[in-house]
Amino acid sequence: MQTAKDKQSIQMSSNVHQTLDRMISKLAGVVPEFELRYKAELAYEINQLKRQRNAIILAHNYMEPALYHSVSDFTGDSLELARISARTEAEIIIFCGVRFMAETAKILNPSRTVLLPAQKAGCSLAASITGDDVRELKKQFPGVPVVSYVNTYADVKAETDICCTSSNAAKVVQYLADQGHERILFLPDEYLARNVAADTGIPIIFPSLPSSGNEVDPKNLERAIIGRHGRCEVHEKFTVEDIENVRRQFPDTVILAHPECNPEVVRASDFSGSTKAMIEYVSANDAPRYLLLTECSMGDNITAENPGKEMLRLCNVRCPHMNLITLQDTLASLKNTQYEITLPSDIIRRARASLDRMLEIS
Ligand code: 13P
Ligand code: SF4
């Protein structure tokens, strides 16, 4: 005779099967089936617990495909996920991304519990600058507005006038220039700053970089973006040679580069934009083959949505921080309410102002 426990286990295994079927229909040919079988059990458990705990899962576009396609309630780039964080009414936000993104969610919606599944999921750009560094720069350039990339920690955002993301960096800088600001501090990504300078036509200077001897003295330059030397450890590795090699082998390839890449790489590409803009570009185009100069996992997520198109990638270059987030950690995060993002209220208040200004402008 079947016991209540037997019935429960049969029901559960049928539910796991439904989860697996959904994952296979999305990811067949992208992720091996044996991997999906194992991950479907985790995904099912996460989805159950998520509902019980009134939690939502936000997943950045770089998340591994099985997680991205099975447990996320919302996916997106930094800007999109910030907007969603600001308006969610769920009690718990699980941020499948890196620390600065989870902090942004906490700043925008401080009464929610925000959890980051892997405590050490950082970012080389966010680690390249502190609130003290910004205070020093403000002393050096008094009255100059500070634009900080969203890839910074809360203490930097608290010292910032307007935040920006890869989707709106040029727009934010142009907004300040239109308001009559001759000089704008743009922190901390050197390559994003150079790409913004190219887009807006505003000259750029780097007082913190060793001089080549040809630079204009910042004091003599009327109009300028003042940059810093932070780099993304992933995007800085892509080169023009990588593009030339791919174009030689597959001449019909459309090349997409994230704006954290070196401006030479961006110039040699066919399109540059945020992770969301890259996804939309592939969906809207008919070309059969693309090279993605960004974190490799995103190629799997795009392939799943665009089965007929081939995504070329340089998968030897990975983001070690984004790759820390797994389904196992996400489950542990929900079970144990870990790792909670906490920030001082004063930092939240000041950082919030810089994010609100960005959201208003964009
Ligand atoms: P997006 O805002 O374009 O998603 O970029 C975030 C990021 O960290 C890219 O490396
Ligand atoms: Fe930071 Fe680069 Fe990783 Fe994005 S890809 S999270 S910028 S280290």
Side-chain angles (χ1 to χ4, degrees), residues 62 98 100-101 122-126 149 151 232-235 260 295 319-322:
Y62 288 163
V98 290
F100 76 80
M101 296 179 175
C123 167
S124 66
L125 279 169
Y149 193 28
N151 296 38
C232 162
E233 68 192 273
V234 177
H235 294 91
E260 289 167 11
E295 156 61 38
C319 175
H321 314 287
M322 290 282 185

Side-chain angles (χ1 to χ4, degrees), residues 260-273:
E260 289 167 11
C261 292
N262 185 324
E264 287 174 10
V265 169
V266 168
R267 267 197 304 278
S269 303
D270 299 299
F271 176 79
S272 176

Side-chain angles (χ1 to χ4, degrees), residues 316-346:
N316 52 333
V317 184
R318 305 300 306 264
C319 175
H321 314 287
M322 290 282 185
N323 278 293
L324 286 177
I325 309 289
T326 62
L327 281 166
Q328 287 92 332
D329 288 337
T330 306
L331 181 57
S333 177
L334 263 168
K335 276 187 176 162
N336 309 323
T337 319
Q338 67 192 28
Y339 295 94
E340 185 169 357
I341 302 291
T342 54
L343 296 166
S345 56
D346 172 54

Side-chain angles (χ1 to χ4, degrees), residues 67-139:
L67 184 156
Y68 189 84
H69 285 96
S70 65
V71 298
S72 61
D73 297 287
F74 298 95
T75 57
D77 64 4
S78 309
L79 180 62
E80 225 174 354
L81 296 179
R83 285 202 180 110
I84 294 160
S85 317
R87 62 168 193 255
T88 183
E89 292 191 353
E91 271 167 50
I92 299 177
I93 301 172
I94 309 264
F95 214 113
C96 290
V98 290
R99 177 165 291 272
F100 76 80
M101 296 179 175
E103 280 193 358
T104 303
K106 183 70 187 174
I107 294 164
L108 288 169
N109 211 337
S111 62
R112 311 294 163 205
T113 299
V114 178
L115 304 177
L116 180 66
Q119 201 169 19
K120 292 200 174 127
C123 167
S124 66
L125 279 169
S128 74
I129 189 162
T130 64
D132 282 345
D133 295 329
V134 186
R135 281 188 286 277
E136 269 310 305
L137 282 162
K138 287 205 243 187
K139 273 191 220 150

